[in-house]
Amino acid sequence: MRYLHLPPENVEIVPGKYITLHDARFPETGRVTDIKIPVDERAQLRINFLPSWGAHVFADVLDSEDDQEMYDYWKKELPGHICTIGYIATGTGDMGPNPYESKFPYALAQAAIMNTILTQNFLYEIGDEVTLGITLVLLLGVSLISPKLSPLWVTLCVYIAIAGDVTTAIVLFNLYSIILRLINPVLTVLVLSYTLITTYWYATEERERKQLRSAFKTYVSRQMLEKILDNPESLKLTGQRKEITIM
């Protein structure tokens, strides 16, 4: 807040929506603007970590007091930068994963948070309403096409729809920093579409079998009826070309 010349009364907190820094002044340019930080219900923001990071040994900075060459180096290296000081060691428990690496020193998380806020390169997560809408659209599409297609084509269409959802999520994240939830819609579509399609096919096939059994049970033998039920396509009024021998 001191860096942006912000008094406490210029900070507006709305949990679940945003934290607004009113009239934030950037010291390098003098630009004054409002910074709206998207946060969750606990007023926490998603950190936009950089794919790479760098750190200096603080003891080297302290030792430069007696080394003119190192002092001149740090004098050129550090001005214009915001420095955070933290303890980083492989034996500490303050290490954990981030989206880019499995062992990230959390002492640098503060720097990542400041970088996210100052560059305003925020991550925006799609809400539950949009996720539910996407799930319903996918389910509706699968439900409309499934009665008209074979099982193989329905399965292919389901995977195409899921691939489209994943591609959309990647594009939105890379271009607009929007996080689109994938697990819930994909699992829901896979499970419900399979259940609905299986139920529909079973009900349709069972109804057709009952109709055929009712129509032919008094005209053909039981063995012939079973063959007809196993292969309803054999009832088509089309001829067959075969090579046969007549004795």
Side-chain angles (χ1 to χ4, degrees), residues 232-247:
E233 297 293 327
S234 62
L235 293 176
K236 288 185 178 180
L237 300 178
T238 57
Q240 293 182 353
R241 186 179 297 273
K242 292 184 177 180
E243 292 186 6
I244 61 175
T245 300
I246 300 177
M247 300 299 290

Side-chain angles (χ1 to χ4, degrees), residues 4-77:
L4 295 173
H5 304 282
L6 272 175
E9 56 269 19
N10 282 22
V11 179
E12 178 187 3
I13 302 176
V14 181
K17 292 185 177 180
Y18 53 79
I19 296 175
T20 303
L21 309 180
H22 294 284
D23 298 329
R25 181 186 298 274
F26 288 84
E28 295 86 357
T29 61
R31 181 170 64 94
V32 178
T33 185
D34 291 347
I35 300 177
K36 182 174 284 189
I37 307 169
V39 295
D40 60 16
E41 289 76 10
R42 300 172 63 185
Q44 297 176 333
L45 83 155
R46 288 188 174 274
I47 305 174
N48 195 350
F49 288 97
L50 295 175
S52 61
W53 54 273
H56 299 290
V57 179
F58 187 59
D60 293 341
V61 180
L62 294 178
D63 292 341
S64 66
E65 184 177 5
D66 300 324
D67 188 332
Q68 186 61 41
E69 183 179 352
M70 289 301 299
Y71 177 82
D72 293 338
Y73 169 78
W74 292 120
K75 190 175 181 180
K76 294 179 181 179
E77 179 74 14

